[in-house]
Amino acid sequence: MKRVQDASTVQETYDLMSALLHKVVPDFELKMKAEVAFEINQLKKEKNAVILGHNYMEPALFHSIPDYVGDSLGLSRIAAASNAERIIFCGVKFMAETAKILNPNRMVLLPVEFAGCSLASSITADDVRALKAKYPGVPVVTYINTYADVKAETDICITSSNAVDIVKQLDSDIVICLPDEYLAKNVARETGKKIIYPSQQLFTGEHGMVVWNGKCEVHDQFRVSDIENARKQFPDTVILAHPECPPEVVEAADYSGSTTAMVSYVQKSKANRFLILTECSMADNIAAENQDKEFLGLCSVRCPHMNQITLEDTLDCLRHDKWQIELDESVRVRAKKSLDRMLEMSKS
Ligand code: 13P
Ligand code: SF4
């Protein structure tokens, strides 16, 4: 099927969007969204812009304007290699910052001035410096969901898709894993490491992971009872959970992986019914592309930060080159080292 991005009229944009989204977006809204999407797709060619869309973008945006969609790791790789004059990041601020760190000669734009993330705001560069002083010589592994100044204090970044793999490769019995307590606990379970809180004493020879208490405000809402209730009502449901979910939720699920890993899992699976414990737009996006499969909704769980990014803001961003990401050069250079190490050590 022709991509919405390649449609040559508003009517064709609407027709292609409707084929994908008629079950998830009301028709009157689709008509309005198609007009905006068509204008964006024309303008981005004139302005030599590439649009990156995170898997959590709302369905009308996700399926109409991005040149590339994906998870944090995949979009970082694309941002790093892009030759476009402008990179428009339809995601949250730490993602746009990551693009600027990796590709500083491009203009990187976020469609709203500030789209945050509860994990990124849970830790500061001072917090990391204090941990390094408390545990000298211990490698600092930091989730990509952090701001540039925190990445600058870090030895290596991780994402949900490479965290286990990278922590296994590190030649150290102890690592400091920041700032997501649940992701760290999920990685600890898979790597056999013991969790150590910064308040605890560190003993030499310990095989452990020093964690921070950051949480994703979205994934923190899921409970094992959600899984039990879904299984009781629909015993054939396959349950997927993002590794930012509490460890007991991840353990009770059938599969855990990054947003893109979950998309691929559903595409390859022969099962008919799924519950995806992550930001709820992603389930709608997957449903649009897998119309033969059924998805149980938990749609109160929307990321308020990702939710800020709309087609209308993206058009405004393209028209007026706003909001540009600017970074202090010394911070950027140090942050880039931790991202470069991650890209070198990631298999996929
Ligand atoms: P992914 O890297 O799996 O896309 O996750 C990013 C994120 O913010 C999840 O909440
Ligand atoms: Fe941050 Fe959670 Fe939103 Fe992802 S879903 S951007 S981790 S608040």
Side-chain angles (χ1 to χ4, degrees):
M1 194 165 90
K2 190 170 179 179
R3 282 166 18 115
V4 179
Q5 288 81 343
D6 302 323
S8 44
T9 60
V10 175
Q11 182 61 44
E12 194 182 16
T13 304
Y14 164 77
D15 291 341
L16 291 166
M17 284 174 81
S18 176
L20 281 166
L21 299 171
H22 63 279
K23 285 190 188 159
V24 257
V25 185
D27 196 54
F28 73 94
E29 195 178 321
L30 264 185
K31 287 196 168 113
M32 290 189 301
K33 297 285 177 186
E35 282 180 27
V36 184
F38 179 69
E39 200 173 338
I40 293 172
N41 286 329
Q42 298 302 109
L43 197 56
K44 81 178 176 196
K45 286 180 215 142
E46 283 167 35
K47 296 195 87 166
N48 188 10
V50 66
I51 300 186
L52 311 185
H54 185 262
N55 290 322
Y56 289 166
M57 288 297 99
E58 54 105 357
L61 187 157
F62 184 84
H63 290 284
S64 65
I65 58 165
D67 300 287
Y68 301 94
V69 292
D71 62 8
S72 307
L73 180 62
L75 294 178
S76 301
R77 287 191 191 286
I78 289 160
S82 177
N83 289 322
E85 222 171 292
R86 292 167 174 79
I87 299 174
I88 316 282
F89 215 120
C90 291
V92 288
K93 186 160 186 187
F94 77 81
M95 296 179 172
E97 269 195 4
T98 301
K100 186 71 182 176
I101 294 168
L102 290 168
N103 203 342
N105 297 327
R106 311 287 161 230
M107 184 190 288
V108 177
L109 299 159
L110 184 66
V112 297
E113 190 172 12
F114 193 87
C117 167
S118 65
L119 280 170
S121 59
S122 72
I123 192 158
T124 66
D126 278 346
D127 293 329
V128 186
R129 282 190 283 269
L131 284 168
K132 289 201 289 193
K134 185 169 163 70
Y135 304 110
V138 176
V140 180
V141 178
T142 297
Y143 197 28
I144 199 163
N145 295 39
T146 46
Y147 295 118
D149 57 343
V150 167
K151 288 188 175 85
E153 296 298 330
T154 293
D155 293 303
I156 182 161
C157 281
I158 51 172
T159 75
S160 58
S161 67
N162 59 24
V164 171
D165 189 34
I166 285 179
V167 168
K168 274 187 187 161
Q169 290 179 62
L170 295 175
D171 187 20
S172 173
D173 281 343
I174 302 275
V175 298
I176 298 173
C177 186
L178 308 170
D180 186 346
E181 181 178 337
Y182 294 155
L183 178 81
K185 285 179 170 171
N186 288 322
V187 172
R189 190 163 52 90
E190 290 201 44
T191 53
K193 289 185 186 260
K194 182 180 155 215
I195 293 294
I196 302 158
Y197 290 93
S199 54
Q200 285 172 292
Q201 198 63 34
L202 190 66
F203 298 102
T204 353
E206 212 153 15
H207 188 58
M209 205 173 230
V210 177
V211 300
W212 193 246
N213 61 0
K215 310 256 180 341
C216 163
E217 66 192 270
V218 174
H219 293 91
D220 193 23
Q221 294 179 55
F222 296 115
R223 295 287 172 265
V224 173
S225 56
D226 296 326
I227 295 181
E228 288 166 352
N229 290 339
R231 287 207 173 113
K232 210 179 285 167
Q233 205 180 350
F234 300 104
D236 61 343
T237 309
V238 173
I239 296 166
L240 292 81
H242 193 275
E244 289 169 14
C245 291
E248 63 279 10
V249 170
V250 169
E251 210 164 341
D254 298 300
Y255 177 78
S256 176
S258 79
T259 55
T260 291
M262 291 195 281
V263 172
S264 312
Y265 184 97
V266 172
Q267 274 163 355
K268 286 183 199 144
S269 172
K270 294 202 165 40
N272 283 325
R273 205 189 310 269
F274 300 87
L275 173 65
I276 305 179
L277 299 177
T278 196
E279 209 283 340
C280 67
S281 274
M282 195 175 100
D284 284 341
N285 290 334
I286 302 182
E289 277 166 1
N290 296 271
Q291 294 187 9
D292 54 328
K293 294 176 176 167
E294 233 181 86
F295 297 86
L296 304 181
L298 271 188
C299 264
S300 53
V301 190
R302 181 85 179 97
C303 171
H305 314 289
M306 292 281 184
N307 199 25
Q308 286 188 65
I309 310 295
T310 62
L311 280 165
E312 291 76 8
D313 288 322
T314 310
L315 179 57
D316 207 40
C317 152
L318 249 181
R319 277 183 181 148
H320 305 293
D321 284 344
K322 66 180 198 190
W323 302 87
Q324 291 189 39
I325 303 291
E326 307 281 1
L327 294 170
D328 175 273
E329 184 58 9
S330 69
V331 168
R332 187 196 70 76
V333 169
R334 286 190 297 134
K336 186 168 185 296
K337 284 189 187 146
S338 64
L339 285 165
D340 284 344
R341 267 188 218 122
M342 172 188 84
L343 295 175
E344 279 158 26
M345 285 175 76
S346 302
K347 281 188 192 137
S348 49

